[in-house]
Amino acid sequence: MKSDLFSAEYLAQPAAAPGMTLQNAKSIKYAVNGEMYARQGSMIAFRGSLQFERKGQGIGGMLKRAVTGEGLPLMSVKGQGEAWFAQDAANCFIVDIEQGDALTINGRNVLCFDPTLSYEIKTVKGAGMTGGGLFNSLFTGYGKLGVICEGNPIVIPVTGQAPVYVDTDAIVGWSAQLSTSLHRSQSVGSMIRGGSGEAVQLMLQGEGFVIVRPSEATAQKATAH
């Protein structure tokens, strides 16, 4: 049988070493040798001897998810084998987090990660319930984190002289050392006249970067998890 479909570009090769690699722009392959964590329902294929189990978020995480509808629904993957992960054909990226790093990522943008990474569901300071009750995942430790983004991400540097204002529905993540607060960019008069649709943003200040996607979350996708 002959077809471009069977070219080396699309062929899954055996893993050279345990851990996470990009299969292509839309999926991540993880060679499991023990345990790793992934978003529930994101596994699209596997081979070998693997077990998939729901992973709890702890009492605090469960309460935050119940209040906000946001969270990080995880499963643990244990055993020996290879698994492929993807979500809605979103673009996939691998972030190498080193000891001392801290990265805040929106739960909807987390695909999978190494067990050596620690995560905690945190309230976004300054946002409160008026900002959609923002609860993001803070990753620390060391290891690889698989991140997804609808469309091509935009990474914007943040400096002490130039804070960045981001739509809360478009934000993917940011340097954890940045300070956050709500910023109202719409006047009362504009709100009375019907508004611009861009009333409140998340302001990030300090030294670091912020990652945004080129679209806002739809109501359906924003509440899917």
Side-chain angles (χ1 to χ4, degrees):
M1 191 176 297
K2 295 181 179 180
S3 170
D4 291 343
L5 175 64
F6 304 116
S7 66
E9 179 183 359
Y10 305 119
L11 185 63
Q13 301 289 348
M20 185 186 309
T21 55
L22 279 177
Q23 175 65 44
N24 54 42
K26 306 291 185 181
S27 65
I28 285 176
K29 179 173 74 172
Y30 201 110
V32 185
N33 182 24
E35 185 177 18
M36 55 85 62
Y37 302 121
R39 166 180 292 280
Q40 290 177 19
S42 65
M43 187 273 293
I44 57 173
F46 78 93
R47 59 187 175 190
S49 179
L50 296 176
Q51 292 183 322
F52 301 82
E53 299 177 358
R54 182 187 181 96
K55 179 175 171 58
Q57 299 182 33
I59 297 299
M62 289 169 60
L63 288 174
K64 290 173 182 176
R65 187 178 177 195
V67 169
T68 66
E70 295 280 347
L72 183 52
L74 290 176
M75 61 182 177
S76 65
V77 184
K78 299 178 181 179
Q80 305 282 332
E82 295 174 315
W84 286 262
F85 301 94
Q87 186 77 16
D88 298 327
N91 290 324
C92 295
F93 303 89
I94 295 176
V95 180
D96 277 295
I97 297 178
E98 298 179 346
Q99 202 69 257
D101 291 342
L103 180 65
T104 297
I105 292 288
N106 194 303
R108 67 184 175 224
N109 296 103
V110 174
L111 184 62
C112 56
F113 56 94
D114 288 340
T116 51
L117 287 173
S118 299
Y119 78 95
E120 183 181 0
I121 300 176
K122 302 276 287 185
T123 306
V124 178
K125 291 183 178 179
M129 294 308 296
T130 56
L134 292 177
F135 289 85
N136 279 19
S137 299
L138 175 65
F139 283 88
T140 56
Y142 67 94
K144 292 184 177 181
L145 168 66
V147 175
I148 54 176
C149 179
E150 294 180 352
N152 292 326
I154 305 164
V155 180
I156 306 172
V158 182
T159 66
Q161 296 73 36
V164 176
Y165 307 86
V166 180
D167 188 299
T168 56
D169 286 331
I171 196 161
V172 173
W174 63 88
S175 307
Q177 69 269 23
L178 295 176
S179 63
T180 58
S181 60
L182 280 186
H183 174 76
R184 189 174 299 279
S185 61
Q186 185 170 256
S187 67
V188 174
S190 177
M191 293 175 67
I192 293 174
R193 292 190 295 271
S196 65
E198 305 292 347
V200 177
Q201 297 83 38
L202 188 67
M203 179 172 68
L204 299 108
Q205 295 176 290
E207 298 289 335
F209 60 87
V210 58
I211 309 164
V212 297
R213 60 181 186 164
S215 65
E216 296 181 356
T218 63
Q220 179 179 359
K221 289 184 178 180
T223 59
H225 301 295

